[in-house]
Amino acid sequence: MPWSLTLSVQSSSREDTQALADALTTDEDIIWAGSKEHFSFQLNEEKAKDLRAMLNTRMRGLIAVDSLLSSLVDQSEGSSTKSD
């Protein structure tokens, strides 16, 4: 019996959620909710250890993108050239 996991993802804004989905586009089939406020994807593996490895890989990618987005926001808030 194969192992399966469905993960639902939503960030603090639709734009950030879209960026997270874009980071997974080449690896996973993204399924958007009707509201486009969150998406999900499913992992299927024959062995639990393989499912765990795939989840870890996807999570590291999402964490990296989220960290980059946070870094960009922090830098723009501290910019002395930012115009209102």
Side-chain angles (χ1 to χ4, degrees), residues 20 36 51 83:
L20 293 172
K36 295 281 189 180
L51 180 65
S83 59

Side-chain angles (χ1 to χ4, degrees), residues 6-81:
T6 301
L7 185 67
S8 181
V9 179
Q10 181 176 356
S11 190
S12 57
S13 71
R14 285 187 181 184
E15 293 81 13
D16 287 358
T17 303
Q18 179 67 54
L20 293 172
D22 290 347
L24 293 171
T25 300
T26 59
D27 298 318
E28 300 300 333
D29 292 327
I30 302 300
I31 303 164
W32 283 98
S35 64
K36 295 281 189 180
E37 291 190 15
H38 70 277
F39 66 89
S40 62
F41 64 94
Q42 188 170 22
L43 298 173
N44 298 294
E45 294 294 333
E46 290 296 319
K47 297 178 182 178
K49 69 178 184 173
D50 294 338
L51 180 65
R52 181 188 59 81
M54 294 301 287
L55 176 62
N56 286 344
T57 299
R58 300 304 179 260
M59 292 302 296
R60 280 194 300 274
L62 291 172
I63 290 167
V65 170
D66 185 61
S67 178
L68 176 62
L69 292 170
S70 294
S71 165
L72 293 173
V73 167
D74 291 345
Q75 287 179 2
S76 68
E77 289 176 354
S79 172
S80 62
T81 60

